[in-house]
Amino acid sequence: MFDNIFSLILATILISSMFIPVYALQSNMLDPNIQVTLDYPDVIQQGDKFVLSSIIKSTADQVSNITLTISSPELYIVTNTFNLAKLAKDSTYGNDFKLSVKNDTPDGEFVANAQVTYFVKGMFDANPVKNTFTQAFHLNTQSKPILILDVEAPSNVFSGEPFSIKGTIKNHGATAQNIQLKAYSSDINLDGKKSFLLSNLYSGKNSDFEFVVNTSKDLDIPTNAIIHINGTYFDDLNKSYSIEDSVNIFARHRGMLEIGDANGIWIGNFFIAPVVGVGTIVSSAIGFFIFLWHFKNKKKSKNNKKTKFNTTLK
């Protein structure tokens, strides 16, 4: 008996796991009496099973016999119709549709349709009146991974000092596996953490990465350099793909009396750098102490004049 119960539970879990609800895109269907929200993945693969989530909201009284139907020639749908006997005003009700994409569906977007029918009884209606409205929405099918890089780096760096190259990978296609990124430059030598590995990246997902590198300390002259970010990744069939991006930096020696970061900010046409010379700091400190000395003497002189004036009055 316990074996049968365990087998039933296991089978239920396996069947449920075949339809993983991953919501990324949303379509809203609006009507004077009914609102419907559809959530579905932004990318799906041929043969994939996925879940389309629907939420129905009534915005009027006496709405009944609500039917939501999903249809598309590119989809297999276990049950494409959902019916609700009635729904009170401002109430909501959700339902999941289990779908799968046909294997011969080409890459790119295709159209699916959502149709809603319902009955509503107005104040002057003898019987409930039937209403129907339909809206198309787009699904995106991709058979291979499509990775996009977005990379940022400081525009100015000091030679021999570490700096970060940060970025994001986004997958616009099918699941990508064994993702490898490397940073290199043919203009200057780079040391430090120059590689990044990621086992997989699912459809519609992002992953952040960071390289911490430094140029050679013995850099002879200030140099404008291009740093390339090149990578490879694989699909489910172990087919490889390539990806690349690049950033520009300006590397120079730090001056003996410079403290701070090599980067700065533009305010209009003026460039303000956070690098400060030690001489500037020392002169500012001396100027501050001179100001205090003058302020103290001025206050002392003022007190002496006040005391002398009071003595004269006596």
Side-chain angles (χ1 to χ4, degrees):
M1 178 179 177
F2 289 106
D3 290 340
N4 292 336
I5 294 174
F6 177 77
S7 299
L8 181 61
I9 294 173
L10 182 61
T12 303
I13 294 172
L14 290 173
I15 293 173
S16 300
S17 64
M18 292 173 63
F19 296 90
I20 302 174
V22 181
Y23 310 124
L25 295 181
Q26 188 176 91
S27 289
N28 295 308
M29 304 175 65
L30 303 178
D31 177 85
N33 305 306
I34 290 285
Q35 295 179 3
V36 179
T37 301
L38 304 176
D39 290 295
Y40 45 91
D42 57 355
V43 179
I44 46 181
Q45 191 172 358
Q46 290 87 343
D48 276 356
K49 296 178 176 64
F50 67 98
V51 170
L52 184 146
S53 173
S54 66
I55 298 177
I56 301 173
K57 180 179 180 179
S58 173
T59 56
D61 291 318
Q62 300 194 52
V63 176
S64 61
N65 197 16
I66 305 166
T67 301
L68 172 61
T69 304
I70 305 296
S71 62
S72 173
E74 310 295 342
L75 295 174
Y76 291 115
I77 307 176
V78 177
T79 302
N80 74 327
T81 299
F82 168 71
N83 182 263
L84 190 61
K86 60 181 179 179
L87 191 62
K89 184 180 179 181
D90 295 326
S91 297
T92 59
Y93 199 93
N95 178 69
D96 288 340
F97 292 90
K98 297 178 180 180
L99 309 92
S100 61
V101 186
K102 293 181 179 179
N103 290 322
D104 58 353
T105 302
D107 283 353
E109 290 189 344
F110 66 89
V111 176
N113 294 301
Q115 179 178 281
V116 179
T117 62
Y118 66 91
F119 288 82
V120 60
K121 187 176 183 301
M123 184 178 298
F124 302 103
D125 296 327
N127 297 302
V129 178
K130 183 179 180 179
N131 290 268
T132 301
F133 65 102
T134 304
Q135 181 170 306
F137 59 97
H138 290 86
L139 294 168
N140 183 17
T141 304
Q142 297 294 339
S143 59
K144 62 183 181 180
I146 303 175
L147 299 190
I148 304 297
L149 288 179
D150 183 15
V151 185
E152 294 182 352
S155 56
N156 297 275
V157 300
F158 287 127
S159 58
E161 298 186 12
F163 62 94
S164 292
I165 302 172
K166 298 181 179 180
T168 302
I169 317 172
K170 183 170 184 179
N171 188 358
H172 292 276
T175 299
Q177 300 181 9
N178 192 19
I179 303 163
Q180 303 181 39
L181 298 179
K182 291 184 179 181
Y184 79 94
S185 175
S186 56
D187 301 316
I188 53 174
N189 293 324
L190 289 177
D191 296 316
K193 180 188 174 185
K194 298 182 290 183
S195 62
F196 172 81
L197 302 176
L198 184 65
S199 59
N200 55 58
L201 187 63
Y202 296 107
S203 299
K205 298 299 182 180
N206 297 343
S207 179
D208 295 329
F209 64 88
E210 181 180 13
F211 303 110
V212 181
V213 297
N214 59 273
T215 66
S216 173
K217 192 174 183 180
D218 301 326
L219 192 68
D220 294 330
I221 58 174
T223 303
N224 285 297
I226 300 176
I227 299 178
H228 301 277
I229 312 298
N230 284 7
T232 58
Y233 57 95
F234 297 81
D235 61 16
D236 293 336
L237 301 176
N238 208 32
K239 182 180 178 180
S240 65
Y241 303 85
S242 61
I243 187 173
E244 63 178 339
D245 200 355
S246 63
V247 290
N248 296 302
I249 65 165
F250 178 71
R252 67 177 180 87
H253 284 295
R254 180 190 288 273
M256 291 182 62
L257 300 179
E258 286 183 322
I259 298 174
D261 194 351
N263 269 309
I265 58 172
W266 286 96
I267 301 179
N269 295 322
F270 298 96
F271 181 74
I272 300 177
V275 174
V276 181
V278 173
T280 302
I281 297 174
V282 172
S283 61
S284 298
I286 292 173
F288 177 71
F289 285 117
I290 291 174
F291 167 76
L292 287 179
W293 182 77
H294 278 295
F295 179 77
K296 184 177 180 181
N297 285 344
K298 187 176 180 180
K299 187 175 181 180
K300 184 177 180 182
S301 176
K302 185 177 180 180
N303 290 335
N304 288 338
K305 287 181 181 180
K306 186 176 180 181
T307 303
K308 186 176 180 181
F309 177 74
N310 290 336
T311 303
T312 302
L313 290 177
K314 290 180 180 179

